[in-house]
């Protein structure tokens, strides 16, 4: 199994200390996370996209460019790029630029997003989200793979013989499809034969398993080999302690604080409390052995090769503690137990802070 650390850059007062970070301090915290993740052998670092409080992640391309400048090996993910509301020309330009500046380490996860505030902000309705996503992605693929593109559609003005610059370094830039709530996302990914990344964040395992199963079934329908399906999955927040009882005690204030946010309430989590979520949902809170067994049980259901985790909301000292414990006590076991062909190629350091990469195949 391969591992990604990610952040949605939610900036709330700490649930225990009451400490508040300025936006600058939060950006610095994200950079420290990414540097530490690379040092500890994580395979990828991801930044999500949200447009509104308490999130500061409105510009993941900019943040990941800063991460690229401070790292040399780790893959860079967008978790997710909310393509349903973005101009594909701007996306093509911004992320091709990031691809070059990172030495070809970019991997994009696209989706419609799960925060309804961005629809009126960018001029579409929530009912249009899937049609908008499919149209914009079709155009983005053409802009990255073709020159002199002529195009006409519903969600932006027509194009006539347009070649976006720069051209991507990777040919193609790997794209995953974020999957959280609808078979429309898994249908699009299956039709194109591209990988999916299950959010696996707010609901019981059965909901996400049904979407992943649908993806594999539709891969076969469209003539792709479902045995070669590539699946990633997120997880609930991470909190490791020597015993599960200690983990629950230490994590509870953070859980209660997050459940009170508008973002969490929008997702209508069905779990009645933290214990219910740990027993029946995706949160990884417990002893190392408990967390390993839980991840293995999810892998049995999903067959995923990549797992993403997050430590947002914790104090900086706790973030380091959790990332280090995961890297040292949990990741090695799962790497042995679960083979993964994702990101097998390595980024090779070059002198003078340059990097070169051989394209990795998702």
């Amino acid at each position: 199994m391969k591992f990604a650390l990610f952040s949605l850059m939610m900036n709330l007062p700490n649930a225990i200390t009451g400490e508040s970070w300025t936006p600058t301090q939060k950006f610095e915290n994200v950079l420290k996370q990414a540097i530490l993740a690379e040092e500890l052998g994580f395979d990828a670092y991801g930044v999500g996209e949200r447009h509104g409080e308490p999130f500061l992640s409105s510009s993941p391309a900019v943040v990941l460019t800063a991460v690229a400048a401070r790292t040399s090996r780790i893959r860079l993910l967008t978790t997710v790029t909310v393509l349903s509301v973005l101009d594909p020309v701007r996306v093509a330009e911004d992320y091709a630029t990031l691809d070059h500046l990172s030495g070809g380490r970019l991997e994009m996860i696209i989706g419609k997003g799960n925060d309804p505030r961005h629809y009126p902000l960018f001029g579409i309705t929530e009912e249009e989200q899937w049609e908008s996503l499919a149209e914009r992605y079709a155009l983005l693929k053409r802009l990255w793979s073709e020159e002199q593109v002529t195009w006409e559609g519903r969600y932006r003005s027509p194009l006539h013989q347009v070649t976006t610059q720069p051209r991507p370094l990777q040919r193609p830039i790997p794209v995953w499809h974020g999957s959280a709530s609808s078979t429309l996302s898994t249908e699009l990914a299956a039709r194109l034969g591209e990988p999916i990344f299950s959010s696996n964040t707010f609901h019981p395992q059965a909901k996400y398993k049904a979407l992943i199963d649908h993806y594999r079934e539709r891969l076969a329908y469209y003539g792709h080999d479902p045995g070669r399906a590539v699946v990633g999955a997120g997880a609930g927040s991470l909190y490791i302690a020597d015993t599960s009882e200690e983990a629950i005690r230490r994590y509870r204030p953070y859980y209660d604080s997050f459940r009170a946010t508008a973002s969490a309430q929008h997702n209508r989590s069905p779990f009645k409390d933290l214990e219910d979520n740990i027993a029946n949902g995706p949160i990884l809170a417990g002893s190392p052995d408990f967390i390993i067994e839980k991840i293995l049980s999810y892998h049995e259901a999903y067959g995923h090769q990549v797992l993403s985790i997050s430590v947002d909301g914790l104090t900086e000292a706790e973030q380091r503690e959790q990332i280090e414990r995961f890297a040292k006590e949990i990741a090695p076991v799962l790497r042995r137990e679960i083979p993964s062909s994702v990101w097998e190629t390595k980024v090779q350091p070059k002198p003078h802070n340059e990097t070169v990469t051989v394209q990795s195949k998702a």
Side-chain angles (χ1 to χ4, degrees):
M1 180 170 273
K2 303 292 173 60
F3 302 101
L5 181 66
F6 81 97
S7 175
L8 274 173
M9 301 181 62
M10 182 171 64
N11 197 28
L12 291 170
N14 183 272
I16 295 175
T17 68
E19 177 187 16
S20 295
W21 284 346
T22 66
T24 299
Q25 289 172 325
K26 182 61 180 179
F27 285 122
E28 287 297 325
N29 171 249
V30 166
L31 296 177
K32 290 177 185 177
Q33 277 190 17
I35 293 166
L36 180 61
E38 177 163 273
E39 291 173 351
L40 293 174
F42 279 78
D43 303 282
Y45 188 80
V47 173
E49 181 178 342
R50 293 288 189 275
H51 296 275
E53 294 179 337
F55 303 101
L56 300 179
S57 53
S58 58
S59 300
V62 177
V63 177
L64 288 174
T65 299
V67 171
R70 291 161 174 81
T71 57
S72 62
R73 174 196 59 81
I74 201 163
R75 302 295 294 178
L76 306 177
L77 304 183
T78 64
T79 55
V80 299
T81 296
V82 186
L83 190 56
S84 59
V85 300
L86 302 178
D87 178 2
V89 173
R90 183 78 262 180
V91 172
E93 295 170 337
D94 286 347
Y95 284 101
T97 301
L98 170 55
D99 196 35
H100 281 275
L101 292 173
S102 68
R105 290 185 280 144
L106 171 65
E107 308 234 349
M108 180 177 285
I109 305 176
I110 64 167
K112 52 86 179 173
N114 74 342
D115 187 336
R117 292 177 297 177
H118 53 230
Y119 298 114
L121 188 63
F122 290 97
I124 73 167
T125 66
E126 193 165 357
E127 291 72 28
E128 297 174 291
Q129 59 187 334
W130 297 110
E131 180 183 349
S132 173
L133 176 64
E135 179 184 291
R136 293 173 200 251
Y137 184 46
L139 175 55
L140 177 63
K141 286 173 70 71
R142 289 191 61 193
L143 291 170
W144 273 345
S145 62
E146 302 175 25
E147 298 182 1
Q148 302 299 311
V149 173
T150 296
W151 174 91
E152 186 171 347
R154 180 177 178 185
Y155 293 103
R156 63 147 294 133
S157 57
L159 302 176
H160 180 67
Q161 296 187 347
V162 169
T163 302
T164 56
Q165 297 292 342
R167 311 305 295 151
L169 177 59
Q170 298 179 93
R171 297 296 183 95
I173 292 174
V175 175
W176 304 64
H177 294 251
S179 170
S181 61
S182 171
T183 56
L184 293 172
S185 59
T186 49
E187 184 76 18
L188 179 61
R191 177 166 58 83
L192 297 171
E194 295 175 338
I196 64 167
F197 214 108
S198 172
S199 73
N200 191 45
T201 305
F202 291 105
H203 297 281
Q205 183 185 93
K207 176 176 181 176
Y208 300 112
K209 183 179 187 303
L211 290 169
I212 294 169
D213 289 347
H214 175 264
Y215 166 66
R216 289 194 169 97
E217 292 166 4
R218 299 304 287 175
L219 276 173
Y221 173 83
Y222 288 112
H224 305 290
D225 181 1
R228 298 176 62 86
V230 177
V231 177
S237 296
L238 174 73
Y239 209 100
I240 309 165
D242 292 340
T243 67
S244 291
E245 292 76 14
E246 181 189 0
I248 292 171
R249 175 180 58 79
R250 292 175 62 184
Y251 182 65
R252 190 183 303 280
Y254 296 112
Y255 178 80
D256 291 343
S257 176
F258 178 68
R259 275 178 61 92
T261 65
S263 175
Q265 292 172 5
H266 167 73
N267 285 284
R268 301 187 185 92
S269 174
F271 306 110
K272 63 182 181 181
D273 53 29
L274 176 57
E275 285 80 1
D276 185 23
N277 195 313
I278 292 172
N280 301 298
I283 281 184
L284 300 176
S287 68
D289 287 344
F290 174 84
I291 291 173
I292 289 168
E293 289 303 315
K294 183 167 184 176
I295 293 171
L296 288 173
S297 74
Y298 269 78
H299 175 262
E300 186 176 354
Y302 298 168
H304 55 304
Q305 297 186 51
V306 178
L307 175 72
S308 68
I309 61 169
S310 176
V311 294
D312 275 3
L314 309 182
T315 65
E316 200 158 75
E318 285 177 301
Q319 289 180 19
R320 173 174 282 273
E321 173 197 20
Q322 294 301 312
I323 296 168
E324 289 179 343
R325 292 198 69 168
F326 186 90
K328 295 175 181 177
E329 301 175 45
I330 294 174
V333 177
L334 296 172
R335 290 189 195 278
R336 290 195 303 267
E337 293 291 327
I338 303 172
S340 176
S341 60
V342 179
W343 305 326
E344 286 184 336
T345 55
K346 304 292 184 181
V347 174
Q348 302 294 334
K350 289 182 69 179
H352 309 299
N353 296 320
E354 296 179 7
T355 59
V356 65
T357 185
V358 179
Q359 180 177 321
S360 70
K361 184 178 181 181

